[in-house]
Amino acid sequence: MAGKIKYIILAALVAFLGLGVGFSVLRANLLKRPELILEEAARRMDLNLKDIDYTQISGDRKEWTLKAKQVSYEQNQDTFNLEEVRVIVYRPSGMEIEIKGKVGLFNRKEGWVQVKGDSELKNDRGFKLEAETFLYNLDKQELTSPDMVLLSGPGLKIRGRGIMVDVAQWKVVFKAEVTSEWHEPTEKKGA
């Protein structure tokens, strides 16, 4: 009887030790790639999060950051629904571009973010794009919109229907109904 108890206790200790080591290895891998937690949770259940701030890093360089006040994921879809969404794109030159909107969708598998509702794109040189919706392809670094778009910046305003922006090169192509206004940029007082 005492011999059986020793083996039962020994088996329980070995099982407990194995579970502990397995949990430690799993936890270490999840800490290295926290997006795996979101992906695994998304496969298994509906998900609601608040105040998310996710940054994609490739090598040692930040590529982009996604921020939203509220995020929900429904298991039967492949997209995250976003509220008060901001995407910050970090260019190798050091320039940052911010895309924001009232609501949006994020598809991690296909690599795109769509923003809707008073959407705008701003860069740190004072240029701004405004439209009802924008679709940003994270891999191609390409922003598109089928809507009326206003591009404004120092000394210039361009309006048109439909736009394609190569964000990496900062090249803009309007598709139709284009009008422009050019004027002398106003200097700020005290400069």
Side-chain angles (χ1 to χ4, degrees), residues 155 183-188:
H183 54 86
E184 192 69 32
T186 56
E187 292 188 29
K188 295 180 182 177

Side-chain angles (χ1 to χ4, degrees), residues 101-148:
K102 289 181 180 179
V103 296
L105 299 171
F106 171 50
N107 187 305
R108 181 171 169 74
K109 188 182 287 183
E110 294 179 12
W112 54 261
V113 175
Q114 181 184 47
V115 296
K116 297 178 182 180
D118 298 331
S119 302
E120 64 181 36
L121 175 146
K122 291 194 255 185
N123 73 11
D124 50 10
R125 293 187 181 156
F127 288 92
K128 179 167 69 169
L129 286 172
E130 299 172 75
E132 183 58 29
T133 63
F134 286 122
L135 179 68
Y136 182 66
N137 184 306
L138 298 162
D139 298 326
K140 293 180 183 177
Q141 295 186 21
E142 183 179 280
L143 180 106
T144 58
S145 176
D147 304 326
M148 284 301 291

Side-chain angles (χ1 to χ4, degrees), residues 15-147:
F16 184 70
L17 181 62
L19 286 173
V21 169
F23 177 74
S24 295
V25 169
L26 178 63
R27 184 173 180 264
N29 285 333
L30 288 177
L31 289 176
K32 287 179 188 172
R33 297 204 43 216
E35 70 271 12
L36 292 177
I37 295 171
L38 281 178
E39 289 175 7
E40 185 59 28
R43 278 194 216 65
R44 299 184 184 272
M45 70 180 112
D46 292 346
L47 183 66
N48 288 306
L49 300 171
K50 292 184 184 222
D51 296 320
I52 67 129
D53 187 333
Y54 173 79
T55 300
Q56 176 71 35
I57 299 173
S58 296
D60 61 347
R61 190 175 84 74
K62 289 195 291 186
E63 295 286 327
W64 51 268
T65 296
L66 172 67
K67 297 181 179 189
K69 289 286 182 192
Q70 177 110 10
V71 178
S72 63
Y73 183 86
E74 296 174 19
Q75 189 175 8
N76 61 353
Q77 297 178 346
D78 240 358
T79 56
F80 291 85
N81 298 304
L82 312 167
E83 293 180 21
E84 295 184 47
V85 59
R86 288 181 30 200
V87 178
I88 302 159
V89 179
Y90 306 99
R91 296 193 46 212
S93 66
M95 181 170 52
E96 293 182 7
I97 297 169
E98 179 182 36
I99 306 162
K100 66 181 184 176
K102 289 181 180 179
V103 296
L105 299 171
F106 171 50
N107 187 305
R108 181 171 169 74
K109 188 182 287 183
E110 294 179 12
W112 54 261
V113 175
Q114 181 184 47
V115 296
K116 297 178 182 180
D118 298 331
S119 302
E120 64 181 36
L121 175 146
K122 291 194 255 185
N123 73 11
D124 50 10
R125 293 187 181 156
F127 288 92
K128 179 167 69 169
L129 286 172
E130 299 172 75
E132 183 58 29
T133 63
F134 286 122
L135 179 68
Y136 182 66
N137 184 306
L138 298 162
D139 298 326
K140 293 180 183 177
Q141 295 186 21
E142 183 179 280
L143 180 106
T144 58
S145 176
D147 304 326

Side-chain angles (χ1 to χ4, degrees), residues 144-162:
T144 58
S145 176
D147 304 326
M148 284 301 291
V149 180
L150 171 64
L151 168 63
S152 59
L156 123 101
K157 283 186 183 180
I158 302 174
R159 286 182 179 79
R161 178 165 305 281

